């Protein structure tokens, strides 16, 4: 019997630690501003469960080298899947940094980013004690007909419904915009900070008009 795997979901990952130090430094002011925006609420309720979300980073030259790198990698990611990228221009629709609450409880519920073709994470502060990204089975038909998995299975199997990564500082992950993802609850034991981005491929005829 031949085993053929079709309609796979491609996720790229690599270790790219050379950006960590400079991007942490560049991100500090954005996290400080995000904390200041939540100052009143934190004073009243505390910061448990909060995700401190920066304003857009796309125009900040401190992130230029990183932006060029992940922009090129995101283009290569689409090209590798067979798409005719000579017909498209890729552009950042979103680029931001987040840090979870010091008191713990930071998380993100499962979601996708609408009308995006590539999404990605870059981890600046994390450990085996912090939150982690979790990816969901993207095929609605498969989700609707899932069978019960064997209780003693370990690792990733074709029937797996959830996949998680345990990142370290410098971990870079690139995945399709349609892939549902979430962040597990952080316990506030150690700092957790990451950059998130989305890229859209625009037909060159449309981009030319813009």
């Amino acid at each position: 019997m031949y085993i053929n795997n079709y309609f796979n979901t491609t996720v790229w990952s690599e270790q790219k630690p050379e950006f960590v130090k400079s991007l942490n430094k560049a991100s500090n002011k954005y996290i400080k501003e995000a904390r200041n925006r939540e100052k009143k609420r934190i004073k009243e309720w505390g910061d448990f469960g909060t995700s401190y979300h920066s304003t857009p980073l796309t125009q900040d030259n401190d992130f230029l080298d990183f932006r060029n790198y992940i922009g090129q990698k995101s283009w290569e990611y689409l090209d590798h899947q067979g798409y005719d990228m000579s017909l498209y221009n890729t552009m950042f629709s979103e680029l931001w940094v987040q840090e979870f609450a010091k008191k713990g409880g930071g998380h993100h519920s499962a979601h996708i980013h609408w009308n995006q073709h590539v999404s990605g994470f870059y981890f600046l502060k994390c450990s085996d004690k912090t939150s982690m990204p979790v990816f969901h089975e993207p095929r609605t038909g498969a989700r609707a007909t899932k069978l019960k998995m064997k209780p003693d299975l370990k690792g990733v199997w074709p029937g797996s419904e959830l996949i998680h990564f345990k990142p370290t500082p410098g971990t870079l992950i690139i995945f399709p915009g349609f892939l549902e993802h979430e962040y597990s609850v952080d316990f506030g034991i150690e700092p957790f900070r990451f950059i998130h981005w989305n890229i859209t491929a625009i037909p060159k005829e449309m981009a030319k008009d813009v």
Side-chain angles (χ1 to χ4, degrees):
M1 183 68 68
Y2 295 103
I3 297 175
N4 303 293
N5 293 310
Y6 299 122
F7 309 115
N8 294 325
T9 302
T10 301
V11 177
W12 281 8
S13 64
E14 70 170 331
Q15 289 303 120
K16 200 70 179 171
E18 53 263 46
F19 288 116
V20 171
K21 185 175 180 180
S22 63
L23 294 186
N24 261 321
K25 183 177 180 181
S27 298
N28 286 337
K29 62 181 179 182
Y30 289 97
I31 299 302
K32 184 177 180 180
E33 290 170 359
R35 289 183 180 278
N36 286 336
R37 287 195 298 272
E38 299 288 339
K39 199 171 184 179
K40 184 177 179 181
R41 189 187 65 77
I42 292 170
K43 187 175 181 181
E44 186 174 356
W45 299 100
D47 84 336
F48 179 83
T50 305
S51 174
Y52 297 102
H53 192 298
S54 77
T55 52
L57 308 175
T58 46
Q59 301 303 314
D60 190 330
N61 284 336
D62 286 339
F63 293 83
L64 180 61
D65 289 343
F66 175 72
R67 194 168 69 242
N68 289 340
Y69 182 80
I70 61 174
Q72 178 61 33
K73 285 295 178 182
S74 295
W75 186 95
E76 292 172 6
Y77 172 83
L78 292 172
D79 182 72
H80 179 263
Q81 294 177 69
Y83 298 117
D84 187 354
M85 296 308 294
S86 68
L87 301 176
Y88 301 93
N89 287 335
T90 52
M91 63 173 289
F92 283 91
S93 52
E94 295 173 297
L95 176 68
W96 68 94
V97 62
Q98 292 184 61
E99 185 168 294
F100 283 179
K102 292 181 179 179
K103 295 292 185 180
H107 68 285
H108 286 304
S109 300
H111 64 284
I112 60 170
H113 298 274
W114 297 100
N115 195 31
Q116 309 298 330
H117 296 103
V118 184
S119 293
F121 303 133
Y122 184 70
F123 295 89
L124 297 173
K125 296 182 180 182
C126 59
S127 74
D128 59 358
K129 298 181 177 68
T130 59
S131 176
M132 67 182 74
V134 181
F135 296 103
H136 290 245
E137 161 71 77
R139 299 168 299 177
T140 54
R143 291 172 73 164
T145 57
K146 282 289 181 188
L147 302 175
K148 198 166 186 176
M149 299 291 284
K150 297 172 184 177
D152 56 346
L153 283 181
K154 295 182 180 180
V156 178
W157 293 79
S160 297
E161 187 174 7
L162 300 173
I163 306 295
H164 67 268
F165 279 76
K166 291 186 176 180
T168 58
T171 297
L172 176 74
I173 301 176
I174 298 175
F175 56 96
F178 64 74
L179 186 58
E180 189 176 16
H181 53 280
E182 65 177 296
Y183 273 90
S184 62
V185 174
D186 187 78
F187 295 104
I189 298 172
E190 293 182 356
F192 185 67
R193 179 187 290 186
F194 67 99
I195 291 174
H196 197 350
W197 75 89
N198 292 308
I199 282 180
T200 304
I202 300 175
K204 288 185 176 179
E205 287 301 309
M206 292 176 62
K208 181 174 63 176
D209 292 339
V210 173

